[in-house]
Amino acid sequence: MRSRSMALVTACIVVSACASSLQQTLDSWLGHQQNELIQRWGPPSKTTDDGGGGRILIYESFTPNPFAQQPGIGVLQVKMFYVRADGTIYLWKTCGRANGPYGFDSCGALF
């Protein structure tokens, strides 16, 4: 039980430290053109309509848990960029999913 609590505390500290940097990085893309983002980050993992004439560029990255005893256990981080019909990025969202015994899903029904 104690190791479970320590793992949770450590995860919270890491997430808090990284969140500020991630927010700054994603904020820096607001107002830029989608072709600039694609040039820098490569093609998105997925794209979908935003329901308002624009698109959502979805970037996914999976980080395996180095301590997992089974392959395929880790965290899927998702970054979504909302793009107007003229190609301008106007909004971003991020969420994550983890599998395994301490899994979570902050993406819900976003996609």
Side-chain angles (χ1 to χ4, degrees), residues 40-109:
R40 183 75 175 249
W41 285 28
S45 307
K46 300 176 189 171
T47 60
T48 188
D49 293 334
D50 71 355
R55 298 171 29 155
I56 304 171
L57 308 179
I58 302 168
Y59 288 86
E60 298 174 321
S61 60
F62 181 78
T63 305
N65 180 338
F67 304 106
Q69 296 177 357
Q70 303 168 278
I73 303 293
V75 175
L76 176 69
Q77 186 177 35
V78 182
K79 298 174 195 77
M80 296 166 280
F81 292 92
Y82 290 68
V83 180
R84 292 190 178 99
D86 69 357
T88 305
I89 299 169
Y90 69 93
L91 176 70
W92 61 263
K93 293 182 182 180
T94 186
C95 63
R97 290 187 175 143
N99 56 11
Y102 307 109
F104 65 87
D105 183 357
S106 69
C107 295

Side-chain angles (χ1 to χ4, degrees), residues 13-59:
I13 292 170
V14 170
V15 168
S16 296
C18 295
S20 174
S21 175
L22 177 62
Q23 182 174 355
Q24 289 175 344
T25 298
L26 298 178
D27 279 348
S28 73
W29 286 105
L30 297 176
H32 285 264
Q33 293 294 304
Q34 73 176 4
N35 63 338
E36 295 174 74
L37 177 67
I38 293 170
Q39 220 172 15
R40 183 75 175 249
W41 285 28
S45 307
K46 300 176 189 171
T47 60
T48 188
D49 293 334
D50 71 355
R55 298 171 29 155
I56 304 171
L57 308 179
I58 302 168
Y59 288 86

